[in-house]
Amino acid sequence: MQRASQLFSDEQRRQVDAAVGQAESKTSAELVPVVATASGRYDRAEDIVGLWFAILAAVTCSILLPLRTTETGSWGGSSLFWQILSFIVAMLVAFILGAAIASRVAWLRRLFTPGNEMRDDVAARAREVFFDKRIHGTSRRTGVLLYVSLFERMASVIADQQVIDKLGQPALDELCVELTAALHRGQPADALCDVLASAGNRLADAFPRADNEHNELSDALVTID
């Protein structure tokens, strides 16, 4: 699975940092782009994959190790004891192997994770980051978080109440749609730069930058593994 800290080159990080600075040169709002490797653990998906591997192992054992026949003139097959023991060992090994593979193969774990669960986890993690990074703590309450979660392939845009009151939640939702569409089209760095520029233009009218404005939050891209 792609780690957020390894996703961007130094040059791409500089591009995103510059895009934050350019956007904030037009507005008093504070923009913070955050890219996370994942927003949830999704252990249940690993267990489900492991269970499927165990079932396949049991079917394979039943084919390769048939019970010993009682027909006269035949000594083929294995005893019930050895077949049961083989089933247990094979299913246990297959379960562990399947869970281990799912923990490392993102698309496989995502396949067995409900979309609603991922959306809820992304939304919850974005809110945590919004408060953990003190984006809500600017003096004018104008913080805006652009949150991207790589494993779920989902994004969220969260803003302080002042921004919601003046810009409106529909405008933030539109920014989120722009962000997900841009991520689907191309590189994450380019997508963030484009949406940061769009956010700066939208916020400029509602929160124009004053001459004595100063940065309260860093312009640097934040990655979370």
Side-chain angles (χ1 to χ4, degrees):
M1 182 170 60
Q2 179 70 67
R3 297 173 68 86
S5 60
Q6 300 171 353
L7 182 63
F8 301 93
S9 66
D10 291 341
E11 177 60 29
Q12 288 173 327
R13 284 180 176 273
R14 286 192 289 270
Q15 288 175 353
V16 176
D17 295 351
V20 175
Q22 180 63 30
E24 291 184 352
S25 69
K26 305 174 183 179
T27 175
S28 61
E30 297 278 349
L31 294 158
V32 181
V34 175
V35 178
T37 300
S39 295
R41 184 65 185 87
Y42 310 114
D43 293 329
R44 194 186 330 174
E46 296 175 13
D47 293 341
I48 293 173
V49 175
L51 180 60
W52 276 106
F53 271 60
I55 292 172
L56 290 174
V59 172
T60 302
C61 282
S62 67
I63 295 172
L64 297 180
L65 298 172
L67 278 172
R68 180 179 299 162
T69 180
T70 58
E71 294 179 4
T72 304
S74 174
W75 62 86
S78 57
S79 67
L80 180 61
F81 171 79
W82 286 111
Q83 188 175 50
I84 292 175
L85 182 61
S86 300
F87 271 40
I88 293 174
V89 172
M91 291 177 69
L92 181 61
V93 171
F95 179 86
I96 295 173
L97 178 63
I101 291 174
S103 69
R104 290 167 174 77
V105 181
W107 68 265
L108 186 59
R109 193 158 80 255
R110 193 163 48 240
L111 181 66
F112 290 94
T113 303
N116 288 340
E117 180 182 348
M118 290 192 290
R119 277 189 290 274
D120 290 344
D121 282 352
V122 170
R125 184 62 178 135
R127 287 193 294 271
E128 288 179 12
V129 171
F130 187 74
F131 289 98
D132 288 347
K133 300 298 180 182
R134 302 198 60 79
I135 302 171
H136 72 296
T138 60
S139 59
R140 298 188 181 184
R141 297 294 188 266
T142 56
V144 179
L145 167 67
L146 304 179
Y147 179 81
V148 176
S149 194
L150 298 177
F151 170 79
E152 297 86 352
R153 297 184 178 182
M154 295 178 182
S156 180
V157 177
I158 299 179
D160 238 325
Q161 192 59 47
Q162 278 280 77
V163 178
I164 295 175
D165 290 342
K166 285 195 175 183
L167 203 62
Q169 186 60 48
L172 297 176
D173 294 340
E174 289 174 10
L175 278 175
C176 189
V177 171
E178 286 182 30
L179 180 55
T180 53
L183 288 165
H184 183 73
R185 287 195 305 268
Q187 293 292 329
D190 295 335
L192 287 171
C193 289
D194 291 343
V195 176
L196 283 165
S198 178
N201 292 332
R202 288 173 180 266
L203 291 162
D205 292 334
F207 301 96
R209 188 174 181 86
D211 293 336
N212 60 346
E213 203 76 47
H214 65 279
N215 249 357
E216 296 184 60
L217 300 173
S218 171
D219 290 347
L221 169 68
V222 178
T223 56
I224 302 173
D225 286 336

